Amino acid sequence: IAKWAMTLDGKLATRTGDSKWISSEASRGIVHQLRGRVDAIIVGSGTAHADNPLLTARTANPNEVKRIATRIVVDSTASLSPESRLMQTARDVPVLVATSNEASAEAIQRLTEAGAELFCCSGDTHAARIESLFQELGLRRMTNVLVEGGSHLLGSLFDLRAIDEVHIFVAPKLAGGANAASPVAGQGIERMSTALRLADISIEELEGDVHIHGRIAR
């Protein structure tokens, strides 16, 4: 499941990287519900560094039953800071750092000692390492995962046709900026006729935001 919040002109953040908050509180409440239903929540290292997210499911009802999703950071060099919110809570809520052979032994040890689990993805390209990670998640019976960004990671997954479902939150705001990040990078398509299409689409308004949910048509 891919999820992102963006402005009306398709920006994830301003040109300086500021992104708090694009979406409304009601939209963020839907995201927390999603987090409480999945096996894992995945972000790229850029998002982990820029946003310092917690990636837990917080709900208004303390008695609501929810899954404890493993928080996964795709981080080839194991550069995640031990001082990050993810690592500061790693002993309470699982953190898996998906690295590569580019990660130094010192960086791996630092994160392991802070409470994270490290998995070394095989492959010489970003796409190959993503496929290696998803194979590992399948072996762990993590069959329902939420990908929250950033654009490089989402782009790779869309290029691999690995996304089944999307939740997009569009805020009635305009950010502008030629260098401001957009939701999906990667190689993309060459012809509009080959663009991925959504099926089973639902659209709702949430405190001014537009929440679009659908499945990728196969």
Side-chain angles (χ1 to χ4, degrees):
I1 306 169
K3 162 266 166 185
W4 66 82
M6 67 182 185
T7 61
L8 197 59
D9 54 340
K11 304 298 184 182
L12 291 178
T14 67
R15 59 181 175 82
T16 64
D18 180 55
S19 62
K20 290 185 171 55
W21 291 102
I22 291 176
S23 58
S24 67
E25 186 173 344
S27 293
R28 298 196 295 276
I30 296 293
V31 173
H32 285 293
Q33 292 177 20
L34 287 171
R35 290 176 177 176
R37 298 202 298 263
V38 298
D39 301 313
I41 302 163
I42 309 176
V43 296
S45 58
T47 297
H49 290 304
D51 295 349
N52 192 22
L54 191 57
L55 302 180
T56 55
R58 301 184 291 281
T59 61
N61 180 3
N63 297 319
E64 182 178 343
V65 177
K66 55 184 182 294
R67 296 186 189 180
I68 304 300
T70 297
R71 300 169 297 170
I72 301 173
V73 181
V74 179
D75 185 0
S76 294
T77 60
S79 61
L80 184 64
S81 171
E83 303 304 318
S84 66
R85 298 172 76 197
L86 286 167
M87 291 309 307
Q88 289 294 304
T89 55
R91 300 193 187 281
D92 300 314
V93 182
V95 172
L96 174 66
V97 180
T99 67
S100 72
N101 55 15
E102 299 174 12
S104 68
E106 292 79 7
I108 291 173
Q109 182 179 1
R110 181 174 65 248
L111 293 180
T112 300
E113 289 178 348
E117 180 185 358
L118 278 289
F119 171 72
C120 185
C121 302
S122 60
D124 296 328
T125 66
H126 183 68
R129 291 192 288 268
I130 291 295
E131 289 189 296
S132 172
L133 171 61
F134 272 66
Q135 288 173 359
E136 176 65 19
L137 297 186
L139 292 173
R140 296 179 183 219
R141 300 178 183 269
M142 293 183 179
T143 58
N144 192 9
V145 300
L146 178 65
V147 185
E148 296 203 20
S151 60
H152 184 45
L153 176 60
L154 284 170
S156 294
L157 290 171
F158 276 107
D159 286 343
L160 291 167
R161 298 295 192 262
I163 297 297
D164 300 304
E165 184 179 346
V166 298
H167 285 268
I168 304 166
F169 301 87
V170 184
K173 302 173 182 178
L174 297 166
N179 296 322
S182 59
V184 182
Q187 293 182 343
I189 60 171
E190 293 185 0
R191 300 180 64 84
M192 194 56 67
S193 60
T194 63
L196 295 175
R197 295 177 180 272
L198 292 187
D200 304 324
I201 302 169
S202 67
I203 301 174
E204 66 176 328
E205 183 179 345
L206 298 167
E207 295 180 359
D209 293 352
V210 176
H211 172 210
I212 303 168
H213 169 232
R215 294 185 176 275
I216 302 297
R218 302 299 184 185

